[in-house]
Amino acid sequence: MEYSFNAHHDVSKLIEYSGGKASFVARLEAMFTPGLSSGNSQFGNTLFNPGNEPSFATPYLFNFAGRQDLSVKYSRAVARSYYAPTETGLPGNSDAGAMESWVLWNMIGLYPLTGQTTFLVASPWFSDLTINLGGDKKLVITAENVGQESYYVQSLSVNGKAWDKAWVSWDDVFANGGTMDFVLGPEPADWATGDLPPSPASEA
């Protein structure tokens, strides 16, 4: 089950095989339901395993089904539950920084899809963050209303323009730098009504 969501190059086909978006969302949510696995006792016997790389993208795949709010909910819960700034604060073997990288991307508010130029949008932990990209290029991320219980995206602007997609591409904000300006709140909002993230294998 853990590996069944790993066709990250063709999530639209996974949704089709699941019987549609609602069924896909239900299957994803089941990954985080305690007691469905005979293993993973340290994680509440969930099918999702935060200490294993094949599970890394799973909390973010809700973006492909129009439920960006659930990506935020579950990815934030994973980070809060299984990571801590202590000697034992990783849910698994670091694997040369894999675990640390996962939580850093979570805090930035983006998730890079393996082998693609797509970054799934979650929500940032900071009100102001600048990532130096080399040369004079920077990605500046801001967020209004950041708080422990205020982390759902209410709106997003990319490079000064209103944005209605739960993803950005490398060209949008990394190739030449850019800006991402979030407004956050304590309740989900239906802001990501634009195109779903690409599934390259279905679009080839």
Side-chain angles (χ1 to χ4, degrees), residues 6 27 45 47-48 60 99 120 181 183 199:
N6 271 237
R27 285 173 59 87
N45 296 105
L47 295 168
F48 173 77
Y60 296 94
M99 297 289 156
L120 301 178
D181 299 304
V183 176
S199 291

Side-chain angles (χ1 to χ4, degrees), residues 45-174:
N45 296 105
T46 55
L47 295 168
F48 173 77
N49 182 352
N52 196 21
E53 281 89 338
S55 280
F56 273 14
T58 303
Y60 296 94
L61 298 182
F62 295 98
N63 285 29
F64 285 90
R67 291 302 307 272
Q68 192 270 348
D69 60 306
L70 293 180
S71 285
V72 171
K73 173 184 175 180
Y74 287 106
S75 67
R76 187 67 66 106
V78 169
R80 286 181 171 179
S81 299
Y82 306 125
Y83 288 82
T86 64
E87 291 184 5
T88 58
L90 296 176
N93 188 306
S94 171
D95 277 352
M99 297 289 156
E100 293 90 340
S101 296
W102 187 93
V103 77
L104 283 173
W105 280 110
N106 185 278
M107 296 171 82
I108 290 169
L110 295 171
Y111 184 81
L113 282 175
T114 302
Q116 300 177 47
T117 60
T118 299
F119 295 77
L120 301 178
V121 173
S123 73
W125 291 37
F126 309 103
S127 59
D128 194 356
L129 173 68
T130 298
I131 302 173
N132 290 309
L133 303 173
D136 294 326
K137 297 182 293 186
K138 298 178 180 180
L139 170 55
V140 179
I141 299 174
T142 67
E144 296 181 23
N145 306 325
V146 175
Q148 276 291 98
E149 304 304 325
S150 178
Y151 49 78
Y152 287 108
V153 179
Q154 308 297 297
S155 65
L156 171 63
S157 294
V158 175
N159 299 326
K161 298 180 179 179
W163 198 258
D164 64 358
K165 298 184 294 187
W167 59 281
V168 293
S169 72
W170 172 267
D171 286 339
D172 290 326
V173 296
F174 284 104

